[in-house]
Amino acid sequence: MVDSKYAMVDGASIHYLSREEEGAKNPLIIMLHGFPENAHTWEGLMAILPTTLDIIAPDLPGYHLSSPLPSETDYQVPSLIGRMAAFIEKVKKGRKVILLGHDWGGAIAWPLAAFHQTLISKLIIVNAAHPSCFTRAIKTSSMQREKSQYIATLIDRNAERILSNTDFQLLKNMIGSCLFEQKSSYSRELLNDWRDPETLSAMLSYYRQMPQQVPQMNVSKKVLDDIRIPEIFIHCPTLLLWGEQDDAFDLSVIDKIEHYVPQITKRFNPSASHWLHREKPEWVRKEMIDFLRA
């Protein structure tokens, strides 16, 4: 049974899906979704994970049923990290926390685990670049810069109008057009989110407030040389799950990740895309269980 709940954090409401055993002290998995999804992306995986694990999957701030934040600067990564750390403190209730993040949820999960070490016992990442490795990749890999050019559309001051006027074709292409051809309840829910101006603006604010914007393809060497790589170290056991057919990330974003994450285990699925957790939930489940039992 998955329940729908809310928590107030720093004056804003965060909606979350909850599958918890009342009174038990099971390990708690916190699942952070990415762009342009919401917490329901995890339902397939939640349904097949053992009941000996409690699960909470929030809508990220501003997404779906979570309140939009007062200011666009509230979507800067340090602010989001602090807000989600406070959310975890509120819901963990003495349980050991395993943090799972995909895409933008992973972009928050990496530094959250780095800067709130006592809060997180283990980290699981699904197709989300470590911030240090991503920054290095956009400096050194023309392929990664090319794959990241879609961000220019999302940060454009007319992005809301551009997306709406094309019936959100860019977002549909990103997430997989087959999802919308099936006309599932989840795809209808996503379209309703995107068609809400306040929700769409909040979602785009994550990109508009990125600490490092992606340079254009023809940028000068000097501009690339001036990009500073952040030093973000993760010291807890970490599992990286990666669909190799990812349109958003070149494999260069994983180069030398052990420097920043010494306790990392990497597992690759050659046939899956960026949306590994929805495409291959049984594979993800097996890798997660093996990692959590280790």
Side-chain angles (χ1 to χ4, degrees):
M1 172 73 85
V2 175
D3 297 317
S4 179
K5 298 182 179 181
Y6 291 85
M8 288 298 296
V9 179
D10 295 337
S13 174
I14 293 182
H15 169 259
Y16 63 98
L17 303 177
S18 164
R19 194 200 76 180
E20 303 173 83
E21 185 178 350
E22 194 67 36
K25 287 295 181 183
N26 296 328
L28 172 64
I29 300 182
I30 305 279
M31 299 178 164
L32 305 183
H33 68 83
F35 178 93
E37 297 202 275
N38 62 46
H40 291 279
T41 190
W42 298 114
E43 285 188 310
L45 184 59
M46 290 172 75
I48 60 175
L49 284 170
T51 55
T52 51
L53 295 168
D54 289 345
I55 303 172
I56 285 176
D59 292 322
L60 291 180
Y63 277 77
H64 193 46
L65 300 181
S66 289
S67 300
L69 301 179
S71 167
E72 188 163 284
T73 57
D74 289 326
Y75 296 99
Q76 292 177 355
V77 171
S79 176
L80 291 169
I81 293 167
R83 190 174 294 272
M84 296 315 295
F87 170 78
I88 293 171
E89 288 279 14
K90 192 156 206 170
V91 300
K92 76 184 190 80
K93 298 176 181 176
R95 291 169 289 186
K96 181 174 70 173
V97 172
I98 300 109
L99 184 60
L100 167 60
H102 169 251
D103 187 78
W104 255 106
I108 295 168
W110 283 118
L112 198 158
F115 301 128
H116 295 269
Q117 296 182 29
T118 60
L119 199 55
I120 309 301
S121 64
K122 290 188 174 183
L123 177 64
I124 302 173
I125 297 290
V126 178
N127 282 74
H130 183 285
S132 304
C133 297
F134 177 71
T135 306
R136 186 184 63 240
I138 62 172
K139 279 171 67 81
T140 61
S141 169
S142 59
M143 177 64 75
Q144 184 56 55
R145 289 196 296 278
E146 182 178 351
K147 285 194 169 193
S148 296
Q149 289 305 305
Y150 71 92
I151 294 174
T153 301
L154 301 180
I155 65 174
D156 189 283
R157 61 188 178 88
N158 296 312
E160 289 89 344
R161 179 174 56 80
I162 293 168
L163 292 171
S164 179
N165 287 350
T166 57
D167 194 30
F168 305 98
Q169 196 58 51
L170 173 63
L171 305 188
K172 290 176 181 177
N173 291 344
M174 288 172 62
I175 207 169
S177 56
C178 61
L179 181 69
F180 298 89
E181 291 164 6
Q182 295 164 2
K183 297 183 178 178
S184 65
S185 59
Y186 182 47
S187 65
R188 288 193 296 271
E189 192 174 66
L190 289 175
L191 283 170
N192 287 338
D193 286 349
W194 302 345
R195 287 168 179 159
D196 181 86
E198 194 171 33
T199 301
L200 181 61
S201 179
M203 292 166 61
L204 295 173
S205 291
Y206 281 69
Y207 284 98
R208 289 168 172 159
Q209 297 298 317
M210 282 175 65
Q212 173 60 57
Q213 290 297 340
V214 176
Q216 296 178 349
M217 289 301 297
N218 60 352
V219 72
S220 69
K221 182 177 182 298
K222 181 182 185 309
V223 170
L224 295 176
D225 288 344
D226 287 345
I227 295 174
R228 184 185 65 83
I229 298 175
E231 295 287 299
I232 297 175
F233 295 94
I234 315 292
H235 297 291
C236 65
T238 300
L239 174 65
L240 179 67
L241 301 178
W242 202 267
E244 293 187 45
Q245 304 304 312
D246 194 321
D247 288 333
F249 292 120
D250 180 53
L251 281 174
S252 62
V253 299
I254 301 174
D255 289 349
K256 301 177 182 176
I257 194 171
E258 291 83 359
H259 173 70
Y260 298 103
V261 194
Q263 294 190 66
I264 194 166
T265 300
K266 296 181 288 188
R267 295 287 183 264
F268 296 91
N269 190 298
S271 62
S273 77
H274 184 72
W275 313 100
L276 172 63
H277 61 290
R278 283 195 286 106
E279 294 172 355
K280 306 287 184 181
E282 293 284 355
W283 184 87
V284 171
R285 175 193 181 277
K286 178 187 181 302
E287 295 297 342
M288 286 178 62
I289 296 304
D290 289 348
F291 172 68
L292 295 177
R293 285 176 176 162

